[in-house]
Every structure is written in structure tokens, then in C-alpha cells.
């Protein structure tokens, strides 16, 4: 027994030592991630925990924006598949993904010269790399579709590179386990550079320090500082020119944290003055930022502001004039205005503006006012009074101090044209400003009401710093700043949101924010904190709305009848059939020689998902890429008299003269002529194998087929009155019901051909649409936009859509509710108690369809609009 336990102990110790040795070897035999990331990237991302950093990002609205961009749309389908995948719930995946990861994007071009984004990702598995080092032993047993092992001879010495290639549709990815890391890239050339390069030698010591710096955000991004700055300032010519001073090899580091409700971002850009090539900005950038006083003196009537606290007015003039567009000819305008100022006012322009003004300047937006307020700090009040005294005593400047609003006197100046010339250099136009002096600042505005509101809100103790909105975006900001922007997108759009780039579109998801710029020890730090007005609201999923090339009809819009589908079909200009994969944004089209109608169907082994029939009776069956299924097209043997309907086996076409054609998926045709001379005006209704059709007349008839067999030829359902639209056939439990409403409002409900108790019943109004149903209720829509819910027991509930009519309307129902498009570009959604569903009404027209487009496991609402677009609304 002692020998047994001794042997067991030795075995245990040896096993532990072996495991420890293997783990130690894996930890020490390593490749530096920075060596494996090729240098010429546009953006570099690092995180110490890939799972906690990136898993939450999959569900963000911002991610939808990213993968709607032209450069990234090729990965949209893969992204949505990962987002919806149950693998995200796996604990093993979560453990494996809690690794350091370095990710970089590279600008390239495809074979046609179109821009393309390639990437390289390096995942450091550290001591867990034993699994990746042994990957070649078990890779072939994984049965991953599209994964193959490759081996390339690199040189005459016989050196080889073994890697794995993953074909995922139109995308090819290259995978290489290498020591402690796994390299994943979309480019073979990047794979080679990552495997054999020592890319870290391309960085300076300062850049390496920047790359390894720690921050508050979950993710660290490094980018070309010059390119980043020029992209952000692309809509502002002056700031964009300044960015050209940043060294081409300089890097900036960005830390960010993002959720659907808020985003925080910090960006650091080194800036070093070059003694051999001095610039006009050197003096400003050499000064560390200080704490501005103005925000503490503002009331909560201020909705937005831009504050400059970088230097005196004279210093700003010296620094900025070289960057003002040449067409404004700022130096010449200043010189001319200076001469006129001396002639008319007896002082230089420098004395007029610089002698009393301080170093804080701001533009303020006031609640419920259109005219902004401009603020300037006062460094010498006595000198200001002296200057203003000279101005108002001049015959060339008119003043009026008779206006009193809200208990405060607001003098008004009417400035001479030469002063307005100077002010216009900065795109400011205030020819007759009112002004207010208070607490070391002077405020100017064309609107006396704006100044009065600014004064009274602060005097009432309603300080901006106590405002909930301001505090929401300011709690983590430092006190010191050289530039500060507080914005509300409902009132103002700051310069960095005016572009059409990815960053602008992401930031616009957050309606209120504060951006501060500060300087400390030659480092420019930008800090943004923005919040969404409300999180999770109904919204369009980027990149929708999708603009159509031609006109379409509401009836010719449908969704592929497949579980987890994302393909919609429609017809443009009556003849062009189109499809769009809402996840990948792949689109296909085919043109018919005649007007065409379409109907979706269940996908089977032949791949067919869409029927079409043209006005001559030519029938086609297409797959989702609009390729014809073998055996089509075929002629149905007549002229269609109305829209067709589809079961899982047949396309059902009602023909002129009363015949009915059934076309199966192989192209076979069966024609039923039992009901010749019937007038078919509306589409057949389908419920499983049952097909019902309405023969219009003063005493209309409803006939029902089971597959291709007519089951009530001798005893059809009789409708007492004329109705419009198709019968409604629906299932409740094991019973199949048929419902029909006449124009005058008589509603009948039948089961097995027998009228049900409490029916027929009379509803108030005129009905130009027929009823629709869920499994529990029927729904009807009158022409004066009253929605009725009718139970199988005859109970009635109704609601009126306000300020609407429904003469050319649409109504449809599913188990979640009933959806109504009245005579407008608006869709209302009601639950079965006729209460508005969350987020409705929304912009749309016709019959909405529902599918999970963005992978959040919640169906989104997809609809046409009257201005020929496809909208996709997030219902989360």
C-alpha cells in the first residue's frame, strides 16, 4: 500500500511538473505581438481582454454603422452571423477569448482598383498556447467548412510556410499559429510580413511608449495622428490646414469606452515645435491649458457653446491668420480696417480690440432663441469703458441704451462697416449687437431676448453646471481646457460631426456631448464624452434607408419565406424584379419583357424562393440571387386576372374566364376549369393546404381547394353583398376559419362552410379592405381609419387612428399585432388590445415584413416608403 501511494505521489508530481514545464515553455517561447503587426496600418487597436472589450461591441448601434460602410460591408454578413451565434454563450469560448489582441486595418485596393480594407489580428494565448501549438494535430478533425491546410515553398533553400486558409463565401482568411500567438488576416502578403517581420524596430522609443501606455477605456487605438486629425477636421478648412503641421510619422493614441447610451474617448497627439521650421501656432501650443471661468458664470438657458481659452485675442490673431483661406485676404482686410479705425475713431484696431479683452472667447446658443450670444472675457474693465466711451461718442457709431428687458438694461451698438469686415473673417455677423457686461465678461447678441434669457436664468440660480444634461457629459472632464465644445445635435452640429465619414456617423448616434481640448507638456489631449438622448429607441438600422432606382408597388414587396431569412424582393417600374440581402447588402436583378407580379415561397431542395408571373402568363421560379430554377419559365395557359398566391407546393393563378392554374416546382401545370365564367378580381387566400378565392358578384361566392381539389363546388360560401379584397383564411386550434367583410360592413365567419354563432354581424363604416387575422382575432379597417378587433365569439373592440382616412390603405396581422398603413407614409402597429406597440407609428408604406436584420435576435420592421426607399426599423 505504501508503494502504491508513493508511486501515485510520484506520478502526480511528475504530471504537475510536466504541466508546469509546458505552461512555462509556452509563456517564455513567445513572439512579440508588436513584431507580428505590419507597420503601414491606418488604425491599430490593442486590448488586454478581447472578450470584455469586443463582445459588448457586437450589440452596439455603432457596430451597425461600421459594417454599413463601403469598406467593411464585405464583412457585414459574417458580423451578423457572429452576433446571432449561440457560441457567444459558451464558457470555453469566453475563456479562450480573454486574451490580449492586437488588430490593425490597412488600406488597399481590389483587382478593379476599388478601395478595400484588409486587416491583421494577432491573438496572444500566452500559457494557453499549448492548444494552438498542437493545432496541426487536430485541425483536420474539426470539420470546419472551407478550412484547408496550405504549404508554400518560400525560397531555393526549401524553407516553407505552413498556414490555414478559410474560405467564407467571397472572403478568404489566412490563419497561422506561431509560438504563443495566432495570426489571422485577410491578405496573404500581410500574413508573410506578420510571420517573418520584426516590425517593432520600425517604431521610435517614444512611439513604443505611446503604444504601451495605459488609459481609462477598454480599448486602445493607435492611428496616424496627421491622417486622423485631417479626417476629423475635414469640414473646417482652417483647422484642416493646421493639421498639416503634424509630423507624418507621428502617432496618436485613443482610449475609448462605448455603449448604446454613451461614449467616452480620449485622444493624445504629441506636438513638438521645430526650431528650424517655426510656425505661427508654436506660441499657443507651448502654453499649458488653464481652467476657464466662463462655464461657472452661465445659466442653464445655454443649450450649447464653443469656448476658446488658448490665449489672448492678439495671440489668436497671430496664430490663426496664416490658416484663414486666402480668398478672404485677412491681412489686407485687417490693414484696411486699421486705417479706417484710426481715421474715424482715433485709435488703432489693436487698441480697440486687444487693450481690454482677456483670453476667453465663446459662442453660446440660448434656449428657444435663434440668435447666438458671443462672450469675451475682460482683463481691464476701466480700459474697456474708456474704449467704449470713445466709440459711442463718435459720430460714426450709433448707440442706444433705452432698452430694458427682464430688469436689465441692454445697450445697443450699430457698428460701422469696417468693424463688420473684421468680424466677418471669423464668419460672425453682428452689425447691430446688444451687449451686457457682467462678472468680468461682455456678451454680444443681435437678439436682446437672448441676452435677457442668459441673464435671468443665472440670476435665478439656475446654473449651467447644475444642469442635468451638462453634468451628464462633464463629470469625468478635467477642469483645464484650451478649447471646449458643449453641443446638442437638436440645436447645433459641431465641426467634427459635419462630415460623412464613419466617425461622424457613429458620434451622431449620441445627441449631446462635450469635447475638450487641452495641452500639457507638448501633448494635445482631446476628450469627448457624449450621451444618447435615450437608449434603445426605435431607429433605422444603418445603412438604411436603401434608395430604390425606380417606382414600386406595395403588393410587389415580399420577404423570402425561410426561417432566419434576410432577403427581400420587389419589382421596380413594373418589370424589373430585384432582391436584396439585408445582412450582406448583396443585390440582384432580372428584367421581364412584360409587367410582372411576384410571390415568395418556401425554399426546398431546388433552391426556389420567388415566383413571378407576367401579364402574358409566363411563370418563373427564382432562387434568392434571381437565377432561374431549371424547368422555367413556363406558360400558365391563360391571362392572369389578379395577383397569384403560393402554397409550399404550387403557384396558384386565377385566369380570365374562370380557369385556375396550378404550377408545381418542376414546371408542371394543372388547370382546373370547374369554375369557368367566375370573375376573379382578388388574390387567392392560403392557409396551409387550403386555398380560398372570392368570385365577385352581388351574391358573391367563396370557393375552397385542398391542394388542387375543389372541395365545396356544390355548396360554396355565399356572401350577401359586394366586397373588396381576398377572403381571410386562418387557423385556430384544429379548426380552419374563413372570414369576409362586405363594403357595407357585414362580416361573416364560417367554419367547415357553416356560419358561426353571432355572425354575420354589422360593423359601422365603409370597408375598402378585407379582414386579416391572427390565430385569435380578426381585424378590419374602415375607410375613416377605425381599426376593429373582432373575436371568434363576436366581441368587438375598436380604435380610431387620429387625423387619418383609409381609402387606399393596407392592413396585415401576425401573432404580435396588427399593422395598418392608412392614407399616408406611416405604419401603425397595435397589440391585440389595440394599444400602440412601442415605437409606432413609424415611417413606411404598404405591408411591412419582419426579420432579424442586425443579429440581435429581435425581428426588425422592414417596409417600403412612398419616396421609393426600403426602411429597416430596429424594434429592440
Amino acid at each position: 500500500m505504501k508503494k502504491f501511494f508513493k508511486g501515485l505521489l510520484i506520478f502526480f508530481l511528475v504530471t504537475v511538473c510536466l504541466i508546469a514545464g509546458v505552461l512555462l515553455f509556452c509563456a517564455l517561447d513567445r513572439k512579440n505581438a508588436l513584431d507580428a503587426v505590419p507597420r503601414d496600418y491606418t488604425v491599430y487597436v490593442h486590448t488586454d481582454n478581447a472578450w470584455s472589450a469586443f463582445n459588448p461591441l457586437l450589440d452596439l448601434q455603432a457596430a451597425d454603422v461600421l459594417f454599413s460602410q463601403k469598406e467593411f460591408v464585405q464583412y457585414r454578413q459574417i458580423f451578423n452571423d457572429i452576433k446571432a451565434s449561440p457560441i457567444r454563450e459558451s464558457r470555453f469560448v469566453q475563456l479562450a477569448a480573454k486574451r490580449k489582441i492586437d488588430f490593425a486595418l490597412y488600406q488597399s485596393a481590389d483587382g478593379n482598383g476599388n478601395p478595400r480594407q484588409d486587416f491583421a489580428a494577432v491573438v496572444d494565448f500566452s500559457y494557453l498556447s499549448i492548444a494552438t501549438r498542437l493545432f496541426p494535430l487536430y485541425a483536420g478533425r474539426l470539420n470546419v467548412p472551407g478550412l484547408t491546410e496550405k504549404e508554400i515553398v518560400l525560397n531555393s533553400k526549401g524553407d516553407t510556410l505552413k498556414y490555414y486558409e478559410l474560405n467564407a463565401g467571397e472572403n478568404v482568411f489566412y490563419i497561422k499559429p506561431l509560438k504563443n500567438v495566432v495570426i489571422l488576416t485577410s491578405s496573404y502578403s500581410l500574413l508573410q510580413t506578420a510571420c517573418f517581420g520584426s516590425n517593432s524596430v520600425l517604431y521610435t522609443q517614444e512611439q513604443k511608449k505611446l503604444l504601451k501606455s495605459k488609459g481609462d477605456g477598454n480599448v486602445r487605438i493607435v492611428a496616424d495622428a496627421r491622417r486622423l486629425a485631417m479626417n476629423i477636421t475635414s469640414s473646417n478648412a482652417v483647422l484642416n490646414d493646421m493639421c498639416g503641421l503634424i509630423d507624418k510619422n507621428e502617432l496618436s493614441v485613443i482610449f475609448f469606452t462605448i455603449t448604446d447610451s454613451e461614449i467616452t474617448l480620449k485622444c493624445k497627439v504629441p506636438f513638438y515645435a521645430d526650431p528650424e521650421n517655426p510656425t505661427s501656432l508654436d506660441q499657443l501650443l507651448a502654453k499649458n491649458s488653464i481652467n476657464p471661468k466662463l462655464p461657472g458664470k452661465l445659466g442653464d438657458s445655454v443649450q450649447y457653446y464653443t469656448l476658446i481659452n488658448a490665449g489672448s485675442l492678439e495671440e489668436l490673431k497671430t496664430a490663426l491668420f496664416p490658416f484663414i483661406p486666402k480668398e478672404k485676404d485677412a491681412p489686407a482686410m485687417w490693414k484696411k480696417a486699421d486705417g479706417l479705425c484710426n481715421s474715424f475713431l482715433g485709435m488703432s484696431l489693436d487698441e480697440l480690440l486687444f487693450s481690454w479683452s482677456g483670453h476667453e472667447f465663446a459662442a453660446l446658443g440660448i434656449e428657444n432663441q435663434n440668435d447666438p450670444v458671443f462672450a469675451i472675457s475682460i482683463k481691464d474693465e476701466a480700459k474697456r469703458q474708456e474704449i467704449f466711451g470713445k466709440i459711442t461718442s463718435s459720430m460714426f457709431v450709433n448707440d442706444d441704451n433705452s432698452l430694458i428687458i427682464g430688469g436689465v438694461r441692454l445697450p445697443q451698438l450699430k457698428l460701422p462697416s469696417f468693424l463688420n469686415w473684421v468680424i466677418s473673417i471669423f464668419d460672425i455677423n453682428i452689425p447691430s449687437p446688444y451687449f451686457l457686461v457682467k462678472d468680468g465678461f461682455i456678451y454680444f447678441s443681435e437678439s436682446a431676448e437672448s441676452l435677457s434669457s442668459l441673464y435671468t436664468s443665472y440670476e435665478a440660480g439656475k446654473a449651467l453646471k447644475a444642469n442635468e444634461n451638462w453634468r451628464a457629459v462633464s463629470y469625468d472632464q478635467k477642469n483645464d481646457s484650451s478649447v471646449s465644445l458643449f453641443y446638442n445635435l437638436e440645436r447645433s452640429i459641431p465641426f467634427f460631426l459635419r462630415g460623412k465619414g464613419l466617425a461622424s456617423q457613429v458620434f451622431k448616434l449620441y445627441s449631446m456631448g462635450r469635447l475638450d481640448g487641452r495641452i500639457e507638456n507638448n501633448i494635445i489631449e482631446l476628450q469627448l464624452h457624449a450621451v444618447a438622448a435615450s437608449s434603445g429607441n426605435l431607429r433605422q438600422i444603418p445603412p438604411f434607408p436603401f434608395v430604390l432606382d425606380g417606382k414600386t408597388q406595395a403588393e410587389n414587396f415580399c420577404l423570402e419565406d425561410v426561417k432566419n431569412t434576410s432577403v427581400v424582393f420587389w419589382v421596380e417600374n413594373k418589370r424589373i424584379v430585384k432582391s436584396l440581402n439585408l445582412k450582406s447588402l448583396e443585390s440582384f436583378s432580372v428584367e421581364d419583357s412584360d409587367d410582372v407580379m411576384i410571390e415568395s415561397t418556401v425554399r426546398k431542395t431546388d433552391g426556389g424562393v420567388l415566383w413571378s408571373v407576367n401579364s402574358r402568363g409566363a411563370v418563373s421560379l427564382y432562387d434568392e440571387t434571381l437565377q432561374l430554377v431549371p424547368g422555367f419559365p413556363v406558360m400558365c395557359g391563360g391571362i392572369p386576372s389578379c395577383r397569384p398566391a403560393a402554397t409550399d407546393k404550387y403557384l396558384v393563378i386565377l385566369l380570365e374566364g374562370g380557369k385556375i392554374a396550378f404550377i408545381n416546382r418542376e414546371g408542371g401545370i394543372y388547370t382546373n376549369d370547374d369554375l369557368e365564367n367566375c370573375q376573379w378580381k382578388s388574390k387567392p387566400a392560403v392557409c396551409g393546404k387550403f386555398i380560398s378565392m372570392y368570385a365577385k358578384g352581388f351574391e358573391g361566392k367563396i370557393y375552397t381547394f385542398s391542394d388542387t381539389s375543389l372541395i365545396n363546388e356544390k355548396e360554396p360560401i355565399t356572401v350577401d353583398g359586394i366586397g373588396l379584397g381576398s377572403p381571410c383564411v386562418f387557423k385556430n386550434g384544429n379548426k380552419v376559419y374563413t372570414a369576409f367583410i362586405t363594403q357595407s360592413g357585414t362580416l361573416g365567419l364560417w367554419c367547415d362552410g357553416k356560419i358561426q354563432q353571432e355572425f354575420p354581424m354589422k360593423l359601422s363604416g365603409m370597408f375598402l379592405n378585407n379582414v386579416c387575422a391572427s390565430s385569435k382575432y380578426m381585424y378590419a379597417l374602415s375607410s375613416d381609419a377605425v381599426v376593429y378587433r373582432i373575436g371568434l365569439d363576436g366581441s368587438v373592440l375598436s380604435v380610431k387612428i387620429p387625423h387619418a382616412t383609409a381609402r387606399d390603405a393596407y392592413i396585415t396581422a401576425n401573432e404580435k399585432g396588427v399593422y395598418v398603413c392608412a392614407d399616408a407614409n406611416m405604419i401603425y402597429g397595435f397589440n391585440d388590445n389595440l394599444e400602440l406597440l412601442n415605437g409606432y407609428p413609424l415611417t413606411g408604406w404598404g405591408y411591412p415584413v419582419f426579420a432579424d436584420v442586425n443579429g440581435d435576435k429581435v425581428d426588425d420592421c422592414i417596409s417600403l416608403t412612398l419616396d421609393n426607399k426600403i426602411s429597416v426599423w430596429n424594434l429592440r
Side-chain angles (χ1 to χ4, degrees):
M1 184 63 69
K2 288 181 180 180
K3 290 181 179 180
F4 172 76
F5 281 111
K6 183 178 180 181
L8 189 62
L9 179 62
I10 293 173
F11 174 78
F12 176 75
L13 291 175
V14 170
T15 302
V16 169
C17 290
L18 284 175
I19 293 174
V22 169
L23 295 179
L24 181 64
F25 173 77
C26 290
L28 297 178
D29 181 40
R30 54 187 294 106
K31 183 177 179 68
N32 186 351
L34 203 57
D35 278 335
V37 180
R39 174 65 177 85
D40 294 328
Y41 47 74
T42 55
V43 175
Y44 168 85
V45 181
H46 172 84
T47 180
D48 291 328
N49 188 324
W51 179 260
S52 62
F54 294 121
N55 183 56
L57 301 184
L58 294 175
D59 300 313
L60 288 181
Q61 299 175 9
D64 294 331
V65 173
L66 172 66
F67 289 98
S68 67
Q69 301 296 300
K70 185 177 181 180
E71 298 90 338
F72 299 99
V73 72
Q74 59 186 320
Y75 306 119
R76 182 182 175 90
Q77 179 80 54
I78 297 172
F79 165 75
N80 282 317
D81 290 344
I82 294 173
K83 184 177 179 179
S85 173
I87 199 173
R88 293 174 62 188
E89 307 300 325
S90 168
R91 291 188 177 182
F92 174 77
V93 171
Q94 293 177 23
L95 175 64
K98 290 178 179 179
R99 307 289 109 206
K100 292 181 180 180
I101 186 169
D102 295 80
F103 179 89
L105 291 175
Y106 302 83
Q107 190 72 47
S108 60
D110 61 19
N112 298 319
N114 298 316
R116 168 188 167 90
Q117 286 282 359
D118 281 312
F119 73 87
V122 180
V123 184
D124 186 351
F125 282 90
S126 186
Y127 62 89
L128 292 181
S129 63
I130 181 63
T132 62
R133 293 170 193 260
L134 298 177
F135 185 74
L137 299 179
Y138 58 84
R141 302 178 184 178
L142 294 178
N143 294 321
V144 177
L147 183 68
T148 56
E149 185 178 7
K150 300 283 186 178
E151 184 172 3
I152 302 295
V153 178
L154 299 172
N155 50 44
S156 58
K157 297 179 181 179
D159 294 331
T160 61
L161 172 63
K162 289 185 178 181
Y163 63 95
Y164 296 88
E165 188 175 284
L166 179 63
N167 282 278
E170 296 184 356
N171 300 298
V172 179
F173 302 102
Y174 304 92
I175 304 168
K176 172 62 178 176
L178 182 63
K179 295 187 175 181
N180 57 301
V181 302
V182 172
I183 300 167
L184 171 66
T185 177
S186 58
S187 164
Y188 177 70
S189 62
L190 288 176
L191 178 70
Q192 287 186 305
T193 306
C195 291
F196 301 112
S198 295
N199 298 287
S200 61
V201 301
L202 301 177
Y203 298 95
T204 65
Q205 289 301 318
E206 291 78 9
Q207 290 172 340
K208 289 181 180 179
K209 183 179 178 181
L210 194 67
L211 289 167
K212 296 177 181 179
S213 58
K214 299 292 184 181
D216 299 330
N218 292 335
V219 179
R220 180 171 76 243
I221 297 177
V222 176
D224 181 309
R226 185 178 187 180
R227 182 183 299 178
L228 176 68
M230 295 188 79
N231 285 340
I232 292 175
T233 61
S234 60
S235 63
N236 188 298
V238 175
L239 294 177
N240 200 248
D241 284 346
M242 292 181 187
C243 297
L245 299 177
I246 301 174
D247 189 276
K248 292 182 179 180
N249 297 317
E250 205 62 72
L251 297 176
S252 62
V253 62
I254 303 167
F255 301 96
F256 80 90
T257 301
I258 183 171
T259 67
D260 273 342
S261 59
E262 65 179 341
I263 179 172
T264 59
L265 180 148
K266 292 182 181 179
C267 175
K268 294 182 179 180
V269 181
F271 191 100
Y272 302 101
D274 185 352
E276 297 182 1
N277 297 291
T279 72
S280 60
L281 291 173
D282 289 349
Q283 185 177 355
L284 287 184
L285 295 175
K287 299 167 61 175
N288 286 348
S289 300
I290 59 175
N291 185 15
K293 297 179 180 178
L294 181 63
K297 300 178 181 295
L298 298 177
D300 68 355
S301 63
V302 175
Q303 299 285 289
Y304 63 92
Y305 64 68
T306 299
L307 170 65
I308 298 175
N309 182 39
S312 68
L313 195 57
E314 185 174 10
E315 290 173 325
L316 292 176
K317 169 184 171 289
T318 302
L320 300 181
F321 261 38
F323 298 97
I324 293 175
K326 293 182 179 180
E327 58 268 19
K328 290 192 175 184
D329 200 4
M333 189 178 291
W334 184 276
K335 184 177 180 181
K336 184 177 180 180
D338 185 55
L340 293 171
C341 189
N342 274 296
S343 299
F344 297 143
L345 301 179
M347 69 180 85
S348 68
L349 200 55
D350 286 5
E351 183 182 3
L352 176 67
L353 299 176
F354 301 158
S355 62
W356 57 271
S357 58
H359 55 77
E360 291 186 47
F361 311 90
L364 317 172
I366 307 300
E367 186 177 13
N368 299 322
Q369 301 295 327
N370 293 324
D371 291 304
V373 173
F374 300 95
I376 302 175
S377 64
I378 301 171
K379 69 178 180 182
D380 188 337
E381 174 59 18
K383 186 66 175 178
R384 185 203 66 78
Q385 292 183 19
E386 177 188 336
I387 295 296
F388 274 53
K390 289 182 179 181
I391 293 175
T392 54
S393 64
S394 169
M395 62 180 293
F396 300 101
V397 178
N398 298 319
D399 72 308
D400 181 358
N401 63 0
S402 62
L403 181 64
I404 298 177
I405 298 181
V408 61
R409 186 179 299 277
L410 299 174
Q412 184 181 28
L413 296 174
K414 295 184 179 179
L415 302 179
S417 58
F418 66 85
L419 286 180
N420 277 309
W421 294 345
V422 176
I423 297 172
S424 68
I425 293 174
F426 305 99
D427 293 327
I428 297 173
N429 182 28
I430 48 171
S432 305
Y434 295 91
F435 70 91
L436 169 69
V437 178
K438 180 172 173 55
D439 294 340
F441 284 84
I442 184 168
Y443 303 89
F444 298 92
S445 179
E446 282 289 296
S447 166
E449 289 79 6
S450 294
L451 291 177
S452 175
S453 178
L454 179 73
Y455 175 83
T456 55
S457 67
Y458 186 75
E459 287 298 304
K462 299 177 181 179
L464 175 65
K465 285 194 170 184
N467 180 275
E468 182 180 344
N469 292 333
W470 190 88
R471 290 170 63 87
V473 297
S474 302
Y475 68 85
D476 60 346
Q477 295 274 13
K478 296 180 181 177
N479 291 326
D480 58 311
S481 65
S482 296
V483 179
S484 181
L485 283 79
F486 170 55
Y487 64 88
N488 183 335
L489 294 184
E490 294 181 0
R491 291 293 312 276
S492 66
I493 300 179
F495 69 88
F496 62 93
L497 296 184
R498 292 174 188 162
K500 296 182 179 179
L502 172 61
S504 295
Q505 293 189 53
V506 170
F507 290 142
K508 285 176 183 176
L509 297 173
Y510 304 88
S511 57
M512 191 172 299
R514 178 176 162 190
L515 172 67
D516 280 12
R518 59 185 59 90
I519 302 169
E520 185 175 357
N521 301 327
N522 295 112
I523 299 290
I524 301 173
E525 180 182 294
L526 299 176
Q527 182 175 354
L528 172 69
H529 190 157
V531 297
S534 55
S535 178
N537 277 357
L538 196 71
R539 61 177 185 87
Q540 289 246 42
I541 296 173
F544 298 95
F546 182 87
V547 179
L548 307 183
D549 296 323
K551 293 183 178 181
T552 188
Q553 306 89 34
E555 296 82 1
N556 270 334
F557 181 73
C558 57
L559 184 74
E560 181 181 3
D561 190 6
V562 179
K563 187 178 180 181
N564 299 324
T565 185
S566 60
V567 180
V568 290
F569 304 94
W570 70 96
V571 177
E572 288 184 9
N573 300 328
K574 297 184 178 181
R575 295 188 175 188
I576 304 173
V577 182
K578 289 196 171 184
S579 74
L580 175 68
N581 187 313
L582 300 170
K583 291 183 179 179
S584 68
L585 301 183
E586 286 184 296
S587 181
F588 302 91
S589 66
V590 61
E591 186 169 1
D592 202 292
S593 58
D594 294 275
D595 292 356
V596 67
M597 298 173 287
I598 60 173
E599 189 75 12
S600 62
T601 186
V602 176
R603 183 203 298 265
K604 293 196 174 180
T605 55
D606 56 21
V609 294
L610 183 74
W611 291 102
S612 80
V613 56
N614 68 19
S615 56
R616 294 185 299 108
V619 178
S620 300
L621 179 60
Y622 297 103
D623 65 15
E624 65 179 29
T625 63
L626 298 185
Q627 297 296 309
L628 278 170
V629 170
F632 291 90
V634 296
M635 299 301 295
C636 69
I639 303 299
S641 63
C642 57
R643 294 189 55 76
T647 71
D648 61 346
K649 297 179 180 179
Y650 303 100
L651 180 68
V652 184
I653 307 174
L654 307 183
L655 305 176
E656 292 182 0
K659 291 185 178 181
I660 304 169
F662 297 82
I663 294 88
N664 65 28
R665 302 177 70 97
E666 289 76 38
I669 302 171
Y670 167 74
T671 303
N672 183 290
D673 55 7
D674 293 338
L675 302 174
E676 283 189 302
N677 301 319
C678 283
Q679 293 186 40
W680 308 121
K681 299 296 182 182
S682 57
K683 174 181 175 179
V686 174
C687 179
K689 66 179 181 178
F690 296 104
I691 310 159
S692 294
M693 53 209 68
Y694 169 58
K696 191 173 183 179
F698 287 106
E699 191 178 66
K701 308 289 186 183
I702 297 177
Y703 296 93
T704 301
F705 283 77
S706 176
D707 286 335
T708 59
S709 301
L710 180 59
I711 59 176
N712 67 340
E713 179 181 4
K714 295 181 180 180
E715 296 182 351
I717 293 172
T718 301
V719 177
D720 187 14
I722 295 176
L724 298 175
S726 306
C728 175
V729 184
F730 63 99
K731 196 171 184 180
N732 180 272
N734 295 322
K735 296 181 178 181
V736 177
Y737 292 88
T738 302
F740 194 89
I741 192 168
T742 66
Q743 280 185 267
S744 60
T746 300
L747 173 64
L749 178 67
W750 297 266
C751 181
D752 296 329
K754 297 178 181 178
I755 193 75
Q756 298 299 288
Q757 189 176 358
E758 308 296 339
F759 294 90
M761 65 184 307
K762 188 76 168 61
L763 300 179
S764 176
M766 180 172 64
F767 295 81
L768 305 179
N769 297 81
N770 227 293
V771 292
C772 61
S774 65
S775 62
K776 295 192 296 183
Y777 298 106
M778 297 168 284
Y779 299 93
L781 176 66
S782 69
S783 61
D784 54 354
V786 176
V787 182
Y788 292 91
R789 186 205 75 183
I790 307 98
L792 301 182
D793 59 357
S795 60
V796 177
L797 182 67
S798 66
V799 65
K800 173 76 168 69
I801 298 176
H803 314 298
T805 60
R807 294 181 175 274
D808 188 17
Y810 305 89
I811 180 169
T812 186
N814 59 25
E815 295 309 309
K816 294 182 180 179
V818 58
Y819 307 92
V820 177
C821 175
D823 296 336
N825 193 32
M826 194 71 66
I827 294 175
Y828 292 81
F830 301 94
N831 62 20
D832 55 15
N833 291 319
L834 295 188
E835 300 166 333
L836 271 176
L837 292 169
N838 183 42
Y840 287 87
L842 53 80
T843 301
W845 169 68
Y847 299 106
V849 293
F850 300 88
D852 180 9
V853 174
N854 61 352
D856 63 358
K857 300 180 182 178
V858 176
D859 282 347
D860 308 299
C861 179
I862 307 150
S863 72
L864 293 171
T865 64
L866 278 174
D867 56 349
N868 296 310
K869 296 175 182 176
I870 295 176
S871 292
V872 181
W873 296 95
N874 188 350
L875 299 179
R876 182 173 55 180

